[in-house]
Coordinates of all heavy atoms in Angstrom, one line a residue:
I528 N -24.9 5.1 -16.3 CA -24.5 5.6 -15.0 C -25.7 5.6 -14.1 O -26.8 6.0 -14.5 CB -23.8 7.0 -15.0 CG1 -23.3 7.3 -13.7 CG2 -24.8 8.0 -15.6 CD1 -22.4 8.6 -13.7
G529 N -25.5 5.1 -12.8 CA -26.6 5.1 -11.9 C -26.9 6.5 -11.3 O -26.0 7.3 -11.2
V530 N -28.1 6.7 -10.8 CA -28.5 8.0 -10.2 C -27.6 8.2 -9.0 O -27.1 9.4 -8.8 CB -30.0 8.0 -9.9 CG1 -30.3 9.2 -9.1 CG2 -30.8 7.9 -11.1
S531 N -27.4 7.2 -8.1 CA -26.6 7.4 -6.9 C -25.2 7.9 -7.2 O -24.7 8.8 -6.6 CB -26.6 6.1 -6.1 OG -27.9 5.8 -5.6
L532 N -24.6 7.2 -8.1 CA -23.2 7.5 -8.5 C -23.1 8.9 -9.1 O -22.2 9.7 -8.8 CB -22.6 6.5 -9.4 CG -21.2 6.7 -9.9 CD1 -20.2 6.8 -8.8 CD2 -20.8 5.7 -10.9
N533 N -24.1 9.2 -10.0 CA -24.1 10.5 -10.6 C -24.3 11.6 -9.6 O -23.6 12.7 -9.7 CB -25.3 10.6 -11.6 CG -25.2 11.8 -12.5 OD1 -24.3 11.9 -13.3 ND2 -26.2 12.6 -12.5
N534 N -25.1 11.5 -8.6 CA -25.3 12.5 -7.6 C -24.0 12.7 -6.8 O -23.7 13.8 -6.3 CB -26.4 12.2 -6.6 CG -27.8 12.4 -7.2 OD1 -27.9 13.4 -8.0 ND2 -28.8 11.6 -6.8
L535 N -23.2 11.7 -6.6 CA -21.9 11.8 -5.9 C -20.9 12.5 -6.8 O -20.0 13.2 -6.2 CB -21.4 10.4 -5.5 CG -22.3 9.6 -4.5 CD1 -21.6 8.3 -4.2 CD2 -22.7 10.4 -3.3
M536 N -20.9 12.2 -8.1 CA -19.8 12.8 -8.9 C -20.0 14.2 -9.4 O -19.1 14.9 -9.6 CB -19.7 11.8 -10.2 CG -19.0 10.5 -9.9 SD -18.7 9.6 -11.4 CE -17.2 8.7 -11.0
L537 N -21.3 14.6 -9.6 CA -21.6 15.9 -10.1 C -21.1 17.0 -9.1 O -21.4 16.9 -7.9 CB -23.1 16.1 -10.3 CG -23.7 15.5 -11.6 CD1 -25.1 15.8 -11.7 CD2 -22.9 15.9 -12.8
N538 N -20.4 18.0 -9.6 CA -19.8 19.1 -8.8 C -18.8 18.7 -7.8 O -18.4 19.5 -6.9 CB -21.0 19.8 -8.1 CG -22.1 20.2 -9.0 OD1 -21.9 20.5 -10.2 ND2 -23.3 20.3 -8.5
L539 N -18.4 17.5 -7.8 CA -17.4 17.0 -6.8 C -16.0 17.2 -7.2 O -15.6 16.8 -8.3 CB -17.6 15.5 -6.5 CG -16.8 14.9 -5.3 CD1 -17.3 15.5 -4.0 CD2 -16.9 13.4 -5.3
G540 N -15.2 17.9 -6.4 CA -13.7 18.0 -6.6 C -13.2 19.2 -7.3 O -12.0 19.4 -7.4
G541 N -14.1 20.1 -7.8 CA -13.6 21.4 -8.3 C -12.9 21.3 -9.6 O -12.3 22.3 -10.1
V542 N -12.9 20.2 -10.3 CA -12.2 20.1 -11.6 C -13.2 20.3 -12.7 O -14.2 19.7 -12.8 CB -11.5 18.7 -11.8 CG1 -10.8 18.6 -13.1 CG2 -10.6 18.4 -10.7
K543 N -12.9 21.3 -13.6 CA -13.8 21.7 -14.6 C -13.9 20.8 -15.8 O -12.8 20.2 -16.2 CB -13.4 23.1 -15.2 CG -13.4 24.2 -14.1 CD -12.9 25.5 -14.7 CE -12.9 26.6 -13.7 NZ -12.4 27.9 -14.2
S544 N -15.1 20.6 -16.3 CA -15.2 19.8 -17.6 C -14.4 20.4 -18.7 O -13.8 19.6 -19.5 CB -16.7 19.7 -18.0 OG -17.4 18.8 -17.2
S545 N -14.3 21.7 -18.8 CA -13.5 22.3 -19.8 C -12.0 21.9 -19.8 O -11.4 21.8 -20.9 CB -13.6 23.8 -19.8 OG -13.2 24.3 -18.5
D546 N -11.5 21.5 -18.6 CA -10.2 21.0 -18.5 C -10.1 19.5 -18.8 O -9.0 19.0 -19.2 CB -9.6 21.3 -17.2 CG -9.4 22.8 -16.9 OD1 -9.2 23.6 -17.9 OD2 -9.6 23.2 -15.7
L547 N -11.2 18.8 -18.6 CA -11.2 17.4 -18.8 C -11.5 17.0 -20.2 O -10.9 16.0 -20.7 CB -12.2 16.7 -17.9 CG -12.0 16.9 -16.3 CD1 -13.3 16.4 -15.6 CD2 -10.8 16.0 -15.9
L548 N -12.3 17.7 -20.9 CA -12.8 17.3 -22.2 C -11.7 17.1 -23.3 O -11.8 16.2 -24.1 CB -13.9 18.3 -22.7 CG -15.2 18.2 -21.9 CD1 -16.1 19.3 -22.4 CD2 -15.9 16.9 -22.0
P549 N -10.7 17.9 -23.3 CA -9.7 17.7 -24.4 C -9.0 16.3 -24.3 O -8.5 15.9 -25.3 CB -8.6 18.8 -24.1 CG -9.4 19.9 -23.4 CD -10.4 19.2 -22.6
N550 N -9.1 15.7 -23.2 CA -8.5 14.3 -23.1 C -9.5 13.2 -23.4 O -9.1 12.1 -23.4 CB -8.0 14.1 -21.6 CG -6.8 15.1 -21.3 OD1 -6.0 15.4 -22.2 ND2 -6.8 15.6 -20.1
V551 N -10.8 13.6 -23.6 CA -11.8 12.5 -23.8 C -12.6 12.7 -25.1 O -13.2 11.8 -25.6 CB -12.7 12.4 -22.6 CG1 -12.0 11.9 -21.4 CG2 -13.5 13.7 -22.3
I552 N -12.7 13.9 -25.6 CA -13.5 14.2 -26.8 C -12.7 14.1 -28.0 O -11.6 14.7 -28.2 CB -14.2 15.6 -26.7 CG1 -15.2 15.7 -25.6 CG2 -14.9 15.9 -28.0 CD1 -16.4 14.8 -25.7
T553 N -13.1 13.3 -29.0 CA -12.4 13.1 -30.2 C -13.2 13.6 -31.4 O -12.7 13.6 -32.6 CB -11.9 11.7 -30.4 OG1 -13.1 10.8 -30.5 CG2 -11.0 11.2 -29.3
Q554 N -14.5 13.8 -31.2 CA -15.4 14.1 -32.4 C -15.5 15.6 -32.7 O -15.3 16.0 -33.7 CB -16.8 13.4 -32.2 CG -17.7 13.6 -33.4 CD -18.6 12.4 -33.5 OE1 -18.4 11.4 -33.0 NE2 -19.7 12.6 -34.3
D555 N -16.0 16.3 -31.7 CA -16.2 17.8 -31.9 C -16.0 18.4 -30.5 O -16.9 18.7 -29.8 CB -17.7 18.0 -32.4 CG -17.9 19.4 -32.9 OD1 -17.1 20.3 -32.5 OD2 -18.8 19.7 -33.6
L556 N -14.7 18.7 -30.2 CA -14.4 19.3 -28.9 C -15.1 20.7 -28.8 O -15.5 21.0 -27.7 CB -12.9 19.4 -28.8 CG -12.4 20.1 -27.5 CD1 -12.8 19.3 -26.3 CD2 -10.8 20.2 -27.6
A557 N -15.1 21.4 -29.8 CA -15.7 22.8 -29.7 C -17.2 22.7 -29.3 O -17.7 23.4 -28.4 CB -15.6 23.5 -31.0
A558 N -17.9 21.7 -29.9 CA -19.3 21.6 -29.6 C -19.5 21.1 -28.1 O -20.4 21.5 -27.4 CB -20.0 20.6 -30.5
A559 N -18.6 20.2 -27.7 CA -18.7 19.7 -26.4 C -18.4 20.8 -25.4 O -19.1 21.0 -24.4 CB -17.7 18.5 -26.2
Q560 N -17.4 21.6 -25.6 CA -17.0 22.7 -24.7 C -18.2 23.7 -24.7 O -18.5 24.3 -23.6 CB -15.7 23.4 -25.2 CG -14.5 22.5 -25.1 CD -13.9 22.5 -23.8 OE1 -14.6 22.6 -22.8 NE2 -12.6 22.3 -23.7
A561 N -18.8 24.0 -25.8 CA -19.9 24.9 -25.8 C -21.1 24.5 -25.1 O -21.9 25.3 -24.7 CB -20.3 25.2 -27.3
N562 N -21.2 23.2 -24.8 CA -22.3 22.6 -24.1 C -22.1 22.4 -22.6 O -22.9 21.9 -21.9 CB -22.7 21.3 -24.7 CG -24.2 21.1 -24.9 OD1 -24.9 22.1 -25.0 ND2 -24.7 19.9 -24.8

Side-chain angles (χ1 to χ4, degrees):
I528 187 172
V530 172
S531 297
L532 179 61
N533 192 60
N534 283 328
L535 298 184
M536 286 184 147
L537 285 181
N538 308 328
L539 186 69
V542 180
K543 298 177 181 179
S544 280
S545 58
D546 294 330
L547 296 168
L548 290 175
N550 296 322
V551 295
I552 295 291
T553 60
Q554 185 149 339
D555 192 340
L556 178 59
Q560 294 280 28
N562 223 30

